[in-house]
Amino acid sequence: MANSVDPPSSPHRQESALAPGLASWEGGQADGPAVGWEEHYWDSEPVAAGAMSRRARMSARGPYRAAVPARIANLTITLPPAVAAEAEDALMEIARFDAELTSALPAAGGEGQDEHGELAPLAAVLLRTESTSSSQIEDITAGAKALALATVGERTGPNAAMVAANVTAMQAAVAMSEDLSVDSIRTAHAALMAGQDYAAPGRFRTGAVWIGGMAPTPHTATFVPPHPSWVEAAMNDLIVFCHRTDVPVLAHAAIAHAQFETIHPFADGNGRTGRVLVHAMLRAAGATRAMTVPVSAGLLTDAGSYFDALTAYRDGDLTPIVTQFAHAAFTGVTNGRVLAEQLQGLYATWQQSLHARRDAAAWTVLPMLIRQPAVTVRWVADHARVSQPAAQRAIDQLLTAGVLTPASANRRNRVWIADDVTAALDDFAARTGRRG
């Protein structure tokens, strides 16, 4: 999580006088992504930051160092053969898993596809678990039930609402893969941070940010991303890199993600937006078609190593971040397969329990509950394209079959939930080490 303040007004190095184009960019190293450094003066009085010890106040005075990002548009990618081979194997596993899911469960919505164009509702489930995991890396937790309720408009607390917004942002990755640009990244951020004005949704930051240090100034931070005057040029350079076709796919996505996190272009939500970028790149490269492979869930199993890999990247070493992504892909796919098997078994049990005419709306709703385990009468009517009386009848039949239970005793704005699905999703989270 980054802190933010107004931009320093007196940089020790006069980079703010340079044009924000690549021609004037002097940061970084020619042979790797290592950041350069420049000093900025901190011109706010430490006392303005609140109560501080004398030692902390002295540490918060004077100049501090901020990164200058390397240019990577034409970066030469050199990886140890073993790491390159592991990344290629991981990519093959991602593609294999993606293909498996096209027939894992019956389609919701008719004609072999659901309303979002996915081939099976399980694809949307994995997108949701990936979104939850991506948020959890930044310590934003929400149980599966709370997330499902938030998705249908129930008030379940700010964390669930933030994770629900992350689902929307992950869905934006599909569109981003068709037109990967600075504007599409801003659009994804706007979806992710909607309603959170402090984060300036969809707009690059205008202030300094810093990571770690637990201090109200950047002087003791673990990492201080670039001054905002570098952000636009750095993002344009990143987009050029993202459109290259001469870099192995998983390494390409890992490096792009690490560079995005180094630039830290937004006031908040950079980690989640950067992981949306990963999925957009995997889809654009053809590695995935129907779903979001749970890479973030894999990263979460060893978040400390993930952050260490980002630090190594900023020091000029590509190997750790590519290795982390390869391991995350294997772990995420393994975990995803377990979830898929659980949901397939659950769906088979539902089919045996539901005693309704084959043309009843309940059968249309049944696979939708894998994707969206909390429903209202209005939701069922809208998504199953039936009248509200027919939607209520479908819910009643699913209630009798034990598929749904009331989410609460409140009969007004009644919500029903498929508890077995949320339990399976929480099991998935527990296997990644997440705690809701």
Side-chain angles (χ1 to χ4, degrees):
M1 198 71 173
N3 303 292
S4 63
V5 296
D6 291 335
S9 59
S10 305
H12 184 64
R13 174 180 168 185
Q14 296 298 319
E15 88 292 345
S16 58
L18 300 175
L22 300 182
S24 63
W25 198 340
E26 298 176 0
Q29 304 297 324
D31 59 350
V35 299
W37 299 96
E38 62 186 6
E39 281 192 348
H40 291 272
Y41 285 114
W42 185 257
D43 55 7
S44 297
E45 286 296 322
V47 70
M52 302 171 67
S53 68
R54 285 177 297 170
R55 180 179 179 183
R57 187 173 292 111
M58 291 302 297
S59 297
R61 293 180 182 273
Y64 67 93
R65 292 203 317 162
V68 178
R71 289 175 291 183
I72 68 166
N74 299 308
L75 177 68
T76 299
I77 309 299
T78 303
L79 295 168
V83 173
E86 186 174 37
E88 187 63 23
D89 288 346
L91 182 69
M92 290 175 62
E93 198 63 26
I94 288 172
R96 186 178 298 116
F97 182 45
D98 182 71
E100 290 169 6
L101 292 181
T102 61
S103 58
L105 286 170
E111 301 301 324
Q113 292 188 341
D114 76 4
E115 60 189 348
H116 297 299
E118 294 160 339
L119 297 178
L122 185 56
V125 168
L126 284 165
L127 182 147
R128 178 165 297 171
T129 59
E130 175 66 1
S131 302
T132 305
S133 297
S134 183
S135 295
Q136 169 61 17
I137 289 175
E138 299 183 30
D139 295 324
I140 300 170
T141 62
K145 183 174 181 178
L147 174 57
L149 292 172
T151 306
V152 291
E154 289 292 292
R155 293 184 179 180
T156 56
N159 277 359
M162 291 175 73
V163 176
N166 204 52
V167 176
T168 302
M170 280 291 186
Q171 290 168 335
V174 175
M176 190 194 299
S177 68
E178 302 296 328
D179 178 25
L180 183 54
S181 65
V182 168
D183 285 344
S184 64
I185 290 175
R186 282 173 163 164
T187 297
H189 182 263
L192 176 66
M193 306 305 289
Q196 300 176 60
D197 292 344
Y198 76 92
R203 299 193 301 276
F204 289 149
R205 59 183 169 87
T206 58
V209 296
W210 57 94
I211 300 166
M214 300 299 292
T217 73
H219 294 80
T220 59
T222 304
F223 176 68
V224 181
H227 185 273
S229 61
W230 292 113
V231 168
E232 186 171 355
M235 287 299 294
N236 288 334
D237 174 76
L238 172 60
I239 292 299
V240 174
F241 175 79
C242 289
H243 283 284
R244 285 174 55 176
T245 57
D246 63 331
V247 182
V249 172
L250 193 61
H252 197 195
I255 293 166
H257 171 78
Q259 182 72 356
F260 180 91
E261 299 307 324
T262 296
I263 299 167
H264 235 66
F266 300 108
D268 196 13
N270 291 283
R272 283 160 280 160
T273 307
R275 286 181 283 276
V276 171
L277 174 63
V278 169
H279 297 292
M281 292 183 66
L282 290 175
R283 189 178 177 94
T288 59
R289 295 175 302 156
M291 50 76 69
T292 304
V293 70
V295 174
S296 291
L299 290 171
L300 185 59
T301 60
D302 191 357
S305 293
Y306 163 66
F307 292 122
D308 288 345
L310 289 177
T311 298
Y313 172 84
R314 292 160 187 158
D315 289 338
D317 188 355
L318 299 173
T319 299
I321 194 65
V322 176
T323 299
Q324 268 318 106
F325 268 70
H327 292 175
F330 285 123
T331 302
V333 166
T334 298
N335 200 359
R337 283 198 173 108
V338 174
L339 176 62
E341 291 174 2
Q342 284 183 304
L343 294 178
Q344 284 175 297
L346 175 60
Y347 186 77
T349 300
W350 285 355
Q351 288 179 302
Q352 294 175 356
S353 302
L354 179 59
H355 302 294
R357 291 172 47 182
R358 296 304 301 179
D359 60 350
W363 288 104
T364 303
V365 177
L366 199 64
M368 294 179 177
L369 297 174
I370 300 292
R371 180 185 69 235
Q372 174 52 39
V375 296
T376 62
V377 170
R378 181 179 293 277
W379 191 96
V380 170
D382 290 345
H383 291 77
R385 299 178 178 87
V386 297
S387 67
Q388 291 207 16
Q392 182 63 67
R393 188 161 51 251
I395 287 174
D396 290 342
Q397 290 171 327
L398 293 166
L399 191 65
T400 300
V403 175
L404 292 176
T405 57
S408 72
N410 181 13
R411 296 194 63 83
R412 188 176 182 182
N413 300 323
R414 196 80 177 271
V415 180
W416 289 265
I417 195 157
D419 287 319
D420 290 339
V421 174
T422 59
L425 295 174
D426 283 335
D427 286 347
F428 174 93
R431 288 193 300 273
T432 68
R434 184 177 74 82
R435 296 295 181 267

